[in-house]
């Protein structure tokens, strides 16, 4: 059986990312004085796992680099060294280098980093100071054996290969240290029925006495319990041993050379094929798997129940059939929810990056900022989680740069010198709500308006600030190129980013709203759907066509009163709905549908990004959950359409992109933008 090492490599890279998160989180806790002995042990174990895994998969540079970090951590946990802010900062930099190496390995590289050499030298310099403080007893022990060559007996257990560990790899690493194979022992091979999946060989090696003992033993850290290792000093100086076997094994020749060479007995390897995209995976709580299996069992029982009715014509057949179908519907819905739950991940996967981000940016800006995170266990779909990360980063950077004031300014305003940034998440209805809230200076409406006038944004032409609501003024920061920063920095100030943030959130089917109080702070509230695979929709008829409008976007539906229609210039039409004036579009005209309009037109009021729009349809049909199918994979992106679904009768039905329709209508409406004020 051939082991799929590429698959194991992907698992290692995933575990490496998790260990890097542990490293960063615990180092930050150490810097803040919140770490205990268990924290330091966790950091050490994370570094140790990365080093061992990197060595197993041939990422030697990563393994050697992590070794220096691991040694520092070992001295910390043993009490030989005390933690200092400078030391933690250095170890955080080392964590960044390992993350770069991991990214390089994930991209198909050999796990290198352009910063590795510099940080490695700093780590070794730090270790040099530590070694000078080692106890005298350790130095004495070394002195008594200095000069004697090493002798190593390496006996792999028969089942070592089953775990994916290869003795030849260990021999190559020993060869890199200068250890040479003295003898390959294959006596066990003659005493057993040969099984190609087991290991029967063992090796005797020697090496110069100036090799550090820990470096030799570290090679075997990853195979602890899978082999027997006996390392000792030779008692008398002797010339380098020679091979005693008359016929040297190819593997011996390979590992005894100064540079690692391919095993001679192996057939020449073909050119490596083009590397495919990394396999994506997701870790799932075993309880979710168990629940899924139970539901499948219920479905099988229901199927058997329905199958037993085949060919029967009893009086109670219809009643039993109805019960069976009802049970089938219930089990199918539970199965659907369970399967969707498998893709649900806690938002902590997105939040975990922020402690380090806030620390680094705060130090860069000279601010004192405390980060609070609430609701990290709130779950949302993996796809949504992956795509919301970058917008969150941008909003946090903006809050740190523009929102929270400098310590002196805060004191002058009667605040604590240190600011607070709060990230929170919770479920609300069928959505996930994420808040990014700071206690900074807040948004100055007049300043925003003046900047918008200065930039001659269309919304400001021939208008006054008092014609707009607070929310509309705050929304100006989402305009492309809009910035009130006095100077451009590497963090912000170019007016690039917030428009992209809003567009990315809209692409996810979400929305963002701002509330702010001058001098008190600002809150960005993001609403996102739990999943992008299934949505609750309202089925509507337009002529002969059917469309789905996401229920999350529908505010209300009513009969269209033609007396409330207001025609403006350029063919723009509005609807007077109580105290509001809404722009209106006829879907039949917008989408070019076939068929005659219905006798009683209906107005479906939808909302996206804080703006409302009236959609005229011919009939409101059922509300139902629909499975979203992407059109872009087989066709092209259609304006106003977010995807398609297949109805119960097999009919294909398009799903309306409400944010896109609203944005399109606002772009066409010109002055009408302001008239839509709620």
């Amino acid at each position: 059986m051939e082991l799929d090492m590429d698959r194991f490599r992907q698992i290692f890279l995933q575990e490496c990312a998790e260990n890097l998160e542990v490293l960063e989180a615990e180092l930050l806790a150490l810097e803040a004085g919140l770490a205990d002995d268990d924290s330091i042990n966790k950091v050490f174990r994370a570094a140790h796992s990365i080093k061992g895994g990197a060595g197993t998969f041939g990422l030697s540079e990563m393994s050697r680099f992590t070794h220096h970090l691991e040694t520092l951590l070992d001295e910390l946990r043993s009490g030989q060294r005390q933690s200092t802010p400078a030391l933690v900062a250095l170890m955080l930099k080392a964590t960044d280098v390992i993350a770069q190496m991991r990214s390089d390995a994930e991209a198909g590289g050999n796990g290198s980093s352009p910063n590795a050499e510099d940080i490695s030298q700093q780590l070794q310099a730090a270790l040099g100071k530590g070694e000078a403080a080692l106890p005298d007893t350790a130095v004495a022990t070394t002195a008594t054996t200095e000069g004697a060559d090493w002798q190593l007996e390496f006996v792999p257990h028969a089942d070592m290969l089953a775990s994916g560990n290869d003795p030849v790899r260990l021999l190559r690493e020993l060869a890199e240290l200068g250890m040479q194979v003295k003898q390959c022992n294959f006596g066990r091979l003659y005493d057993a029925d040969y099984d190609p999946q087991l290991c029967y060989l063992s090796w005797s090696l020697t090496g110069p006495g100036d090799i550090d003992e820990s470096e030799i033993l570290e090679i075997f850290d990853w195979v602890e319990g899978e082999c027997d290792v006996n390392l000792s000093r030779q008692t008398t100086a002797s010339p380098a041993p020679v091979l005693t076997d008359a016929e040297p094994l190819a593997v011996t020749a390979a590992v005894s050379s100064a540079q690692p060479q391919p095993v001679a007995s192996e057939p020449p390897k073909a050119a490596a094929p083009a590397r495919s995209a990394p396999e994506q995976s997701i870790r799932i709580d075993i309880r979710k798997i168990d629940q899924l299996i139970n539901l499948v069992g219920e479905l099988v029982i229901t199927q058997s129940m329905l199958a037993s009715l085949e060919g029967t014509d009893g009086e109670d057949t219809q009643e039993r059939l109805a019960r069976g179908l009802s049970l089938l519907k219930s089990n199918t819905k539970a199965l659907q929810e369970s399967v969707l739950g498998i893709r649900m991940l806690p938002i902590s996967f997105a939040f975990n990056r922020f402690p380090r981000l806030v620390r680094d940016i705060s130090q860069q800006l000279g601010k004192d900022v405390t980060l609070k995170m609430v609701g990290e266990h709130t779950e949302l779909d993996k796809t949504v989680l992956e795509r919301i990360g970058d917008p969150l980063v941008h909003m946090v950077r903006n809050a740190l740069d523009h929102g929270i004031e400098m310590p002196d300014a805060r004191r002058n305003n009667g605040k604590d010198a240190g600011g607070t940034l709060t990230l929170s998440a919770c479920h609300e209805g069928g959505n996930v709500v994420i808040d990014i809230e700071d206690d900074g200076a807040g948004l100055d409406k007049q300043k925003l308006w003046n900047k918008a006038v200065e930039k001659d944004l269309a919304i400001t032409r021939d208008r006054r600030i008092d014609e707009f609501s607070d929310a509309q003024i705050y929304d100006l920061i989402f305009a492309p190129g809009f910035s009130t920063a006095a100077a451009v920095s590497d963090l912000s100030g170019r007016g690039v980013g917030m428009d992209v943030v809003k567009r990315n959130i809209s692409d996810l089917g979400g929305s963002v709203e701002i509330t702010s109080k001058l001098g008190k702070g600002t809150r960005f509230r993001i609403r996102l759907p739990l999943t992008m695979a299934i949505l609750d929709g309202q089925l509507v008829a337009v002529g002969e066509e059917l469309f789905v409008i996401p229920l999350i976007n529908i505010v209300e539906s009513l009969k269209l009163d033609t007396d409330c229609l207001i025609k403006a210039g350029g063919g723009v039409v509005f609807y007077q709905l109580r105290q509001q004036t809404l722009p209106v579009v006829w879907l039949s005209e917008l989408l070019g549908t076939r068929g005659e309009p219905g006798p009683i037109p209906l107005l479906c009021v939808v909302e996206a990004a804080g703006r409302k729009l009236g959609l005229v349809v011919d009939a409101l049909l059922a509300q139902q959950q629909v499975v979203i199918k992407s059109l872009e994979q087989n066709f092209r992106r259609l304006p106003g359409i977010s995807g398609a679904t297949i109805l119960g009768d097999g009919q294909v039905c398009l799903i309306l992109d409400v944010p896109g329709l609203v944005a399109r209508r606002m772009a066409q409406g010109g002055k009408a933008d302001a008239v839509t004020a709620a």
Side-chain angles (χ1 to χ4, degrees):
M1 180 182 67
E2 185 177 352
L3 291 172
D4 185 356
M5 293 304 294
D6 194 54
R7 180 184 171 196
F8 285 117
R9 179 187 166 105
Q10 292 302 322
I11 294 174
F12 159 68
L13 292 175
Q14 183 179 356
E15 291 177 345
C16 182
E18 295 170 0
N19 282 318
L20 283 170
E21 287 183 3
V22 172
L23 267 172
E24 193 171 275
E26 298 300 335
L27 285 174
L28 290 174
L30 186 64
E31 184 182 55
L34 303 175
D36 53 18
D37 291 343
D38 186 52
S39 299
I40 296 177
N41 286 330
K42 284 169 67 177
V43 177
F44 176 81
R45 286 196 297 270
H48 183 73
S49 298
I50 293 173
K51 184 192 77 172
T56 298
F57 294 100
L59 304 173
S60 55
E61 185 177 348
M62 181 190 287
S63 180
R64 281 194 295 271
F65 181 87
T66 312
H67 166 69
H68 300 312
L69 175 63
E70 181 194 32
T71 306
L72 269 178
L73 292 167
D74 191 30
E75 292 183 0
L76 277 175
R77 71 170 185 165
S78 65
Q80 297 179 43
R81 181 186 296 272
Q82 296 299 314
S83 171
T84 65
L87 186 63
V88 173
L90 175 59
M91 290 191 287
L92 283 170
K93 290 179 181 176
T95 304
D96 293 340
V97 170
I98 298 172
Q100 292 170 353
M101 291 175 163
R102 178 199 167 276
S103 298
D104 181 62
E106 192 172 48
N110 58 0
S112 61
S113 164
N115 302 319
E117 184 63 28
D118 178 36
I119 303 300
S120 178
Q121 289 178 2
Q122 294 183 43
L123 288 171
Q124 292 182 63
L127 281 169
K129 295 175 183 176
E131 287 168 359
L134 288 176
D136 294 338
T137 52
V139 176
T141 302
T142 302
T144 57
T145 56
E146 187 175 1
D149 289 345
W150 288 109
Q151 182 166 319
L152 174 67
E153 298 296 328
F154 171 37
V155 185
H157 293 177
D159 58 353
M160 171 186 270
L161 297 174
S163 64
N165 287 311
D166 186 352
V168 175
R169 177 187 64 77
L170 302 176
L171 293 174
R172 285 174 179 157
E173 293 187 20
L174 289 168
E176 289 181 4
L177 291 179
M179 299 291 290
Q180 294 185 337
V181 174
K182 173 184 175 184
Q183 183 174 345
C184 177
N185 309 304
F186 42 93
R188 291 190 298 173
L189 184 62
Y190 301 133
D191 298 334
D193 294 331
Y194 179 70
D195 183 342
Q197 298 185 32
L198 300 180
C199 182
Y200 299 98
L201 305 181
S202 63
W203 291 267
S204 301
L205 302 95
T206 60
D210 58 353
I211 303 176
D212 192 279
E213 179 182 5
S214 62
E215 291 187 75
I216 300 174
L217 295 178
E218 282 168 6
I219 293 177
F220 298 96
D221 282 351
W222 198 247
V223 292
E224 186 177 353
E226 298 180 13
C227 65
D228 295 325
V229 176
N230 183 13
L231 179 65
S232 60
R233 295 277 190 181
Q234 293 179 343
T235 53
T236 57
S238 60
V242 295
L243 296 176
T244 55
D245 287 63
E247 297 181 3
L249 294 178
V251 66
T252 303
V255 298
S256 60
S257 59
Q259 297 296 325
Q261 300 292 330
V263 179
S265 58
E266 294 179 354
K269 293 183 178 179
R275 193 174 183 81
S276 58
E279 183 178 310
Q280 291 196 355
S281 61
I282 183 172
R283 293 200 170 197
I284 303 169
D285 190 326
I286 190 65
R287 289 171 295 186
K288 292 185 177 180
I289 299 293
D290 291 340
Q291 184 184 15
L292 192 61
I293 293 173
N294 288 336
L295 287 170
V296 170
E298 293 294 325
L299 271 181
V300 171
I301 294 171
T302 305
Q303 181 199 27
S304 301
M305 183 188 306
L306 291 172
S308 68
L309 298 177
E310 186 178 7
T312 61
D313 193 22
E315 295 181 355
D316 62 342
T317 298
Q318 288 299 323
E319 183 180 348
R320 292 170 59 194
L321 180 61
R323 281 204 306 270
L325 289 173
S326 175
L327 195 57
L328 179 64
K329 180 179 178 181
S330 173
N331 289 336
T332 303
K333 184 173 179 59
L335 185 61
Q336 171 190 316
E337 293 174 351
S338 181
V339 170
L340 288 177
I342 286 178
R343 287 184 56 87
M344 303 297 277
L345 294 174
I347 201 167
S348 57
F349 280 88
F351 278 7
N352 284 344
R353 71 181 72 177
F354 291 113
R356 175 71 183 282
L357 183 76
V358 171
R359 168 196 178 271
D360 290 350
I361 294 179
S362 299
Q363 289 184 355
Q364 180 182 347
L365 297 173
K367 297 180 179 179
D368 179 14
V369 180
T370 299
L371 174 65
K372 294 182 178 178
M373 295 193 293
V374 181
E376 303 104 303
H377 299 295
T378 304
E379 291 188 330
L380 71 167
D381 186 89
K382 179 175 183 288
T383 302
V384 180
L385 187 63
E386 290 172 344
R387 293 173 60 181
I388 195 60
D390 289 341
L392 286 178
V393 167
H394 197 91
M395 298 170 86
V396 167
R397 288 164 63 98
N398 263 351
L400 293 171
D401 195 11
H402 298 306
I404 297 178
E405 315 95 319
M406 296 296 288
D408 289 344
R410 291 180 64 87
R411 289 192 196 95
N412 293 337
N413 293 327
K415 295 181 176 179
D416 293 335
T420 302
L421 179 67
T422 304
L423 292 176
S424 63
C426 66
H427 285 155
E428 191 174 287
N431 299 315
V432 171
V433 176
I434 303 172
D435 286 346
I436 304 104
E437 185 170 9
D438 66 69
D439 65 346
L443 295 177
D444 187 333
K445 289 191 298 180
Q446 189 61 53
K447 189 175 180 181
L448 291 173
W449 176 257
N450 293 341
K451 180 60 70 172
V453 172
E454 178 186 323
K455 287 185 169 294
D456 193 27
L457 297 186
I459 193 173
T460 65
R461 294 170 190 162
D462 302 326
R463 308 303 303 274
R464 301 189 313 275
I465 186 173
D466 56 6
E467 296 179 41
F468 296 86
S469 66
D470 290 353
Q472 287 176 305
I473 299 295
Y474 298 148
D475 274 355
L476 288 171
I477 67 174
F478 294 119
F482 188 88
S483 174
T484 59
V488 175
S489 69
D490 59 340
L491 289 176
S492 57
R494 298 184 186 278
V496 178
M498 290 306 285
D499 58 325
V500 179
V501 165
K502 186 171 186 178
R503 186 166 65 244
N504 288 347
I505 293 172
S506 296
D507 288 345
L508 288 169
S511 63
V512 55
E513 62 185 46
I514 307 171
T515 55
S516 183
K517 193 169 183 179
L518 193 60
K520 299 296 183 183
T522 303
R523 184 190 70 188
F524 289 81
R525 169 158 290 185
I526 301 173
R527 292 181 186 275
L528 294 168
L530 280 176
T531 176
M532 298 181 69
I534 295 179
L535 63 80
D536 293 317
Q538 169 69 59
L539 206 57
V540 300
V542 182
E544 297 177 356
E545 312 285 344
L546 296 181
F547 296 92
V548 173
I549 302 177
L551 274 180
I552 189 175
N553 296 117
I554 297 179
V555 178
E556 60 179 314
S557 299
L558 61 151
K559 179 182 173 183
L560 181 71
D561 184 351
T562 54
D563 293 337
C564 295
L565 291 174
I566 305 170
K567 293 186 179 179
V572 179
V573 180
F574 299 94
Y575 189 85
Q576 190 65 43
L577 177 62
R578 296 185 287 277
Q579 303 304 317
Q580 306 175 43
T581 304
L582 306 175
V584 175
V585 295
W586 272 255
L587 282 180
S588 57
E589 297 177 4
L590 183 68
L591 303 175
T593 57
R594 298 168 299 178
E596 295 297 325
I600 305 176
L602 301 174
L603 187 68
C604 188
V605 181
V606 296
E607 182 177 15
R611 299 176 184 274
K612 293 179 181 177
L613 175 67
L615 300 176
V616 180
V617 302
D618 294 329
L620 294 176
L621 305 176
Q623 295 180 1
Q624 62 183 79
Q625 284 192 328
V626 296
V627 180
I628 304 171
K629 303 289 185 182
S630 172
L631 289 175
E632 296 173 45
Q633 292 180 357
N634 299 305
F635 302 99
R636 62 181 175 83
R637 185 176 179 84
L638 298 176
I641 303 297
S642 63
T645 189
I646 301 175
L647 302 179
D649 59 359
Q651 181 178 355
V652 176
C653 182
L654 297 176
I655 302 170
L656 296 185
D657 173 21
V658 173
L661 288 174
V662 172
R664 182 178 176 184
R665 178 61 183 80
M666 294 306 147
Q668 294 173 343
K671 282 180 62 175
D673 289 357
V675 184
T676 60

